[in-house]
Amino acid sequence: MTTPTPLIAGNWKMNGLENDLAEAAAVAAGVGATATRVAICPPATLIERMARALAGSKVDVGGQDCRAQASGAFTGDVSAEMLAQAGARLVILGHSERRAGYGETDALVAAKALAALRGGLEPIVCVGETLEERKAGRTLEVVTGQVRGSLPAELAGRAFSVAYEPVWAIGTGLTPSVAEIEEVHRAIRATLREELGEASNRAPILYGGSVKPSNAAEILHAAEVGGALVGGASLKAQDFLAIIGAL
Ligand code: PGA
């Protein structure tokens, strides 16, 4: 069976000014020739400078969101084509902070995933349940529903990843148990196979939500965990490198 190449991606969120490029450079220097795929997704303003600084290294640069349209009267938005031209190779889509803060629906995330393919970017599509949904025993129903709704059929055979990020674990220091992570990741894998066929076995399923050096090894070695999407702990090269090294 095809096994996915693991991916460790850092999500800087709305953090990072020019000085912080030094952290990205330290990550690139620290990973050396690792076989793991590593990416950093800085704010859009830093993509071009970071891509230049990391050119030739093992670390790819990604965006944190894109508009579905390629261009037009959409004040403040950025298209997949623009991110790609700035040097991005990947793009995070459907992060819970965008689903909750900007009312992004599964259908919109699916349209953005199509845009990413059109623009030549590899999408990292985020899914995850809220605490209320988990308490109500609805985790698998919610997450597999998001996978079905947010991943267009056109992703079949293409490079992409899914990030399982329980909303209640993001930035809180809380994480699900390894058994809980494995249960959700297995359900995501089964749904991907149903929706996108056997080729989707190549897509890594990342875990995200309070991944840090102290819990990375346990999480990254869980069944069907093909890497991590790391927020806070990706801002400092030392912590991010420790997470990469735990794989
Ligand atoms: P965190 O964020 O690692 O700071 O919890 C993860 C994410 O939101 O992608």
Side-chain angles (χ1 to χ4, degrees):
M1 200 178 96
T2 337
T3 49
T5 306
L7 169 66
I8 308 279
N11 174 11
W12 279 18
K13 308 192 180 186
M14 200 177 76
N15 298 290
L17 294 168
E18 191 160 29
N19 283 350
D20 300 298
L21 290 172
E23 295 296 328
V27 171
V31 296
T34 176
T36 307
R37 290 188 66 206
V38 178
I40 299 177
C41 304
T45 46
L46 281 184
I47 289 175
E48 183 150 11
R49 270 174 286 183
M50 189 180 288
R52 285 187 203 281
L54 302 187
S57 81
K58 284 281 190 174
V59 182
D60 283 332
V61 177
Q64 298 175 10
D65 177 45
C66 71
R67 178 98 194 178
Q69 290 83 354
S71 63
F74 304 111
T75 302
D77 285 354
V78 175
S79 71
E81 285 79 358
M82 292 167 183
L83 295 175
Q85 193 166 78
R89 303 279 304 274
L90 309 98
V91 62
I92 298 169
L93 297 174
H95 190 281
S96 64
E97 286 154 16
R98 297 208 59 88
R99 289 179 185 262
Y102 298 85
E104 292 198 3
T105 60
D106 290 341
L108 182 66
V109 177
K112 291 180 176 205
L114 276 182
L117 294 182
R118 184 193 66 218
L121 297 177
E122 180 178 330
I124 302 173
V125 180
C126 303
V127 296
E129 83 286 1
T130 62
L131 191 55
E132 294 65 41
E133 289 163 342
R134 176 161 285 271
K135 283 187 177 155
R138 297 185 52 226
T139 299
L140 295 185
E141 165 203 337
V142 167
V143 170
T144 58
Q146 288 175 331
V147 170
R148 283 182 217 283
S150 309
L151 294 159
E154 287 81 352
L155 283 174
R158 305 292 295 266
F160 70 95
S161 55
V162 174
Y164 167 53
E165 299 205 307
V167 177
W168 53 273
I170 295 174
T172 58
L174 303 172
T175 49
S177 68
V178 167
E180 287 167 335
I181 293 174
E182 290 183 341
E183 181 187 33
V184 178
H185 279 231
R186 286 198 172 103
I188 293 173
R189 177 62 70 205
T191 308
L192 287 178
R193 252 188 235 125
E194 268 170 50
E195 298 288 311
L196 301 172
E198 291 293 316
S200 66
N201 286 333
R202 285 203 302 271
I205 303 172
L206 319 182
Y207 169 79
S210 297
V211 177
K212 46 193 179 220
S214 58
N215 63 17
E218 180 182 48
I219 291 172
L220 290 169
H221 292 124
E224 285 295 1
V225 173
L229 182 55
V230 184
S234 72
L235 294 170
K236 290 283 162 233
Q238 200 183 348
D239 287 349
F240 196 45
L241 283 168
I243 291 168
I244 295 162
L247 191 71

